[in-house]
Amino acid sequence: MKLRLSLLAALCAASLSTAAAAHSGWSYTGDDGPEHWGNLSPAYATCQSGKNQSPVDLAAGSATAVNRTAFRYGPMNYSVENNGHTIQATPAEANQSLKLGGKTFTFKQFHFHTPSEHTFDGKYFPMEAHFVHQSDSGELAVLGVMFVEGKENPALKPLLAQPLKAGEKAELADKLDIMPMFPRGQKHYRLNGSLTTPPCSEGVNWIVFKHPVSASKAQLEAMRAMIGHDNNRPVQPLNARIVVEE
């Protein structure tokens, strides 16, 4: 697939305004890094005071339940951008959804973190993808998928075909099938959490798949190089939350 590249005048704002703050005033290092987010702006106070923050370490569920998550995404047209914090892909149409516990969440975008944000029994993965969804009432649901080094992932190939610098955006020339970025088995952890970037808003429905998918060493290195820095928030306390295994 070929990319038609266009430059943006400045860093793009998040495509989902309720899911992220403007891409300025915070970073992953230094005086405006994660440990300082809560003090950078009153709008970010939850990053410090929140009790249901994400990501977390997932070792074992504290309860079990029957899988109540249903999704399938057909090939779609996407735009891809490097917003200075991550590589984000946004579908051209909002016509695909996630069913979770009787609620419908519209698929909004997906993006990447290198290395992973969630850990499994203290173990980090080289990359994690977040698939962000929003209900008509504004409630958020995010699917988290871990990546390990292995076979080349066909869904990543067009996303990495043209390296994007911060502030650059591209349109994929062909429709992209993202299903290779999901594990065949749908066993997962489910818990209540937050956005992993400012403003760290809570009340996010997290579904983190237990089994990783593969990407080649070259693909993992290319994604990391395009992002340009570690972009994973440190693990947060689980506190009294219940982690459900489905």
Side-chain angles (χ1 to χ4, degrees):
M1 297 182 181
K2 297 180 180 179
L3 292 174
R4 298 189 296 272
L5 183 62
S6 62
L7 294 177
L8 297 182
L11 296 180
C12 297
S15 63
L16 184 58
S17 60
T18 57
H23 293 152
S24 61
W26 62 271
S27 73
Y28 286 97
T29 59
D31 292 340
D32 52 4
E35 64 271 29
H36 304 295
W37 286 350
N39 297 318
L40 295 177
S41 166
Y44 302 166
T46 303
C47 298
Q48 182 175 355
S49 63
K51 301 300 182 184
N52 294 323
Q53 291 290 290
S54 295
V56 299
D57 180 59
L58 297 164
S62 49
T64 58
V66 176
N67 182 15
R68 60 181 189 134
T69 305
F71 67 94
R72 172 133 191 117
Y73 309 104
M76 290 188 289
N77 292 311
Y78 286 87
S79 62
V80 184
E81 65 177 308
N82 182 336
N83 60 34
H85 293 312
T86 188
I87 303 303
Q88 178 177 303
T90 304
E93 298 179 2
N95 59 3
Q96 306 212 41
S97 60
L98 162 74
K99 302 287 186 181
L100 177 62
K103 297 181 181 179
T104 299
F105 297 80
T106 301
F107 179 39
K108 294 294 185 178
Q109 51 101 335
F110 66 92
H111 59 270
F112 298 90
H113 295 271
T114 59
S116 70
E117 296 204 297
H118 291 88
T119 58
F120 287 3
D121 202 15
K123 175 187 176 183
Y124 283 92
F125 292 82
M127 187 166 75
E128 180 176 349
H130 292 166
F131 299 82
V132 182
H133 305 71
Q134 187 177 39
S135 70
D136 289 342
S137 65
E139 188 176 0
L140 296 176
V142 182
L143 304 179
V145 179
M146 306 297 161
F147 285 77
V148 293
E149 183 179 324
K151 294 181 179 180
E152 183 179 77
N153 193 303
L156 290 175
K157 191 172 182 179
L159 298 172
L160 298 169
Q162 174 63 59
L164 299 175
K165 296 179 181 179
E168 291 183 344
K169 185 176 182 179
E171 303 290 334
L172 295 182
D174 300 305
K175 291 184 176 181
L176 174 65
D177 179 8
I178 65 172
M179 290 308 293
M181 287 192 281
F182 290 96
R184 291 184 179 180
Q186 293 191 12
K187 292 183 178 179
H188 59 266
Y189 298 105
R190 179 169 53 84
L191 74 158
N192 182 44
S194 74
L195 301 177
T196 64
T197 59
C200 306
S201 306
E202 296 186 339
V204 177
N205 299 280
W206 275 97
I207 298 94
V208 181
F209 289 94
K210 298 177 72 172
H211 300 296
V213 296
S214 70
S216 69
K217 180 179 180 181
Q219 287 180 319
L220 293 170
E221 290 178 347
M223 182 64 75
R224 183 177 181 84
M226 186 155 35
I227 293 172
H229 51 80
D230 288 356
N231 67 337
N232 63 326
R233 186 189 190 190
V235 168
Q236 304 296 301
L238 186 61
N239 294 323
R241 280 177 283 179
I242 295 175
V243 178
V244 178
E245 289 190 60
E246 295 182 330

